[in-house]
Amino acid sequence: MTPRTLLCALLLTSTVPLAATAAESREESVQAPETHNRELKVGDKAPDQYKRDDQAIRDWHAKGLPAPEKESHWVRMGEHYVLVQITNGVVLAIHPAS
């Protein structure tokens, strides 16, 4: 076997497992749509949709909620009002909805 043939054989055999690994890792990173059934606590990251401005509660004062902190807003999640930081989605506070 010539050095060139050996090099080609090594390259071909080494790329096949890499291609298979890349395909497997893509499959592992596929995420199902969130169902929002998980329990959130202060400090957890809320689903991205709650960072959007259209989810914000504008009349937070009328609902008896404290003023939102800078770069955050109140959203409703089920039976709770949740203060979500807009920049990273971290839950800052949770209050029951009345």
Side-chain angles (χ1 to χ4, degrees), residues 23-90:
E24 289 171 12
S25 66
R26 272 195 301 265
E27 289 176 12
E28 290 173 5
S29 66
V30 173
Q31 305 230 348
E34 289 210 36
T35 59
H36 310 303
N37 289 336
R38 63 188 172 106
E39 184 177 323
L40 291 174
K41 300 179 297 242
V42 172
D44 289 347
K45 188 174 184 304
D48 286 342
Q49 76 181 60
Y50 294 106
K51 295 189 312 185
R52 295 193 323 241
D53 196 47
D54 65 330
Q55 295 287 318
I57 296 174
R58 303 285 175 220
D59 58 344
W60 52 266
H61 186 69
K63 298 188 183 310
L65 298 168
E69 298 176 19
K70 183 180 179 182
E71 297 293 322
S72 68
H73 59 213
W74 288 102
V75 296
R76 181 155 186 163
M77 289 187 199
E79 298 300 316
H80 294 87
Y81 295 117
V82 180
L83 184 61
V84 176
Q85 195 166 22
I86 298 167
T87 55
N88 60 10
V90 171

